[in-house]
Amino acid sequence: MVQIEMEKSVFSGRIRPVRPDDLQVVLEMVSKLADFHGDVATVTADELARDILGPHPWVRILLAEEAGKVVGYAALCPLAQMQFGARGMDMHHLYVAKSARGTGVGKALIKASEALARAEGCRYLMVGTHPNNIVAQGIYLAMGFDRLDQAGPRFRIKLAAA
C-alpha cells in the first residue's frame, strides 16, 4: 500500500447542502466524474432533480464552494444493517474539480459527510474506490476509514419502469 501524507488543508470555502439553483453545476460534475471513470453519464436534469431535491431526497448532496464557485461535491445514499439496528451512509460520489485538487476540498467534503451521517443517526460511513485508485485508498485510510474486503458476490436484476 502506498503511504499518503495528508496535505495541509488550504480550503477556506464552505460546505453546504445542494439548492435547486445548483442543479446544472451538479449535473456537469456528475458527467465529469463519470468521464473520469470511463463512463458516459446519461442522467437527465429531471432525474437528478427527482433524486436530490425535495423534502425526502433519495441522494443527499453536499457542495464545496469557494469564492462563490462550486468546486466539488459528495453524494450520500442511505444504508442499513437492520440486524444491528444500525443506519449508515454510502459516500456514493466524491468529486473535486481539477483546479481545486490538493487543496483540502476532498478532505472537507469527507468530514462534512461524516458530520451529516452522524446528524442522521448513522453509525458508519462507507465509501468504495476503483481497485487501481491507490491514492484515494491511501487518503481514506489516512482519514481513519478501515479497509473492508468484499464479503461475497452480489447480484442484481434490472426492473422495468413502472
Side-chain angles (χ1 to χ4, degrees):
M1 177 60 62
V2 174
Q3 278 236 223
I4 302 294
E5 186 175 318
M6 295 299 291
E7 79 276 357
K8 293 194 187 284
S9 181
V10 295
F11 177 63
S12 59
R14 67 182 180 138
I15 306 295
R16 63 171 177 82
V18 70
R19 299 184 304 240
D21 60 325
D22 297 315
L23 191 61
Q24 189 58 42
V25 73
V26 173
L27 194 59
E28 290 168 11
M29 290 187 298
V30 168
S31 292
K32 288 178 182 178
L33 183 59
D35 185 55
F36 176 81
H37 287 290
D39 293 328
V40 175
T42 60
V43 65
T44 66
D46 288 340
E47 290 167 331
L48 189 61
R50 173 199 68 200
D51 290 342
I52 70 171
L53 300 172
H56 303 289
W58 192 266
V59 180
R60 304 287 293 275
I61 301 288
L62 296 174
L63 298 178
E65 186 177 69
E66 187 146 43
K69 182 179 177 190
V70 174
V71 294
Y73 78 98
L76 302 148
C77 305
L79 295 171
Q81 291 178 312
M82 288 180 58
Q83 71 276 28
F84 303 127
R87 287 181 168 190
M89 283 270 189
D90 177 55
M91 191 165 37
H92 179 62
H93 281 185
L94 180 66
Y95 174 81
V96 176
K98 274 187 183 180
S99 63
R101 292 182 188 154
T103 66
V105 172
K107 184 178 178 181
L109 283 165
I110 293 167
K111 293 283 186 193
S113 296
E114 290 176 20
L116 175 63
R118 272 191 213 90
E120 293 291 329
C122 295
R123 293 190 201 169
Y124 60 95
L125 179 65
M126 305 256 321
V127 64
T129 65
H130 189 280
N132 296 333
N133 195 341
I134 304 301
V135 172
Q137 293 172 38
I139 290 168
Y140 294 127
L141 288 170
M143 290 191 69
F145 284 78
D146 297 318
R147 183 183 181 97
L148 303 175
D149 292 321
Q150 287 290 339
R154 292 183 54 97
F155 302 88
R156 106 177 160 175
I157 188 169
K158 291 189 178 186
L159 303 173

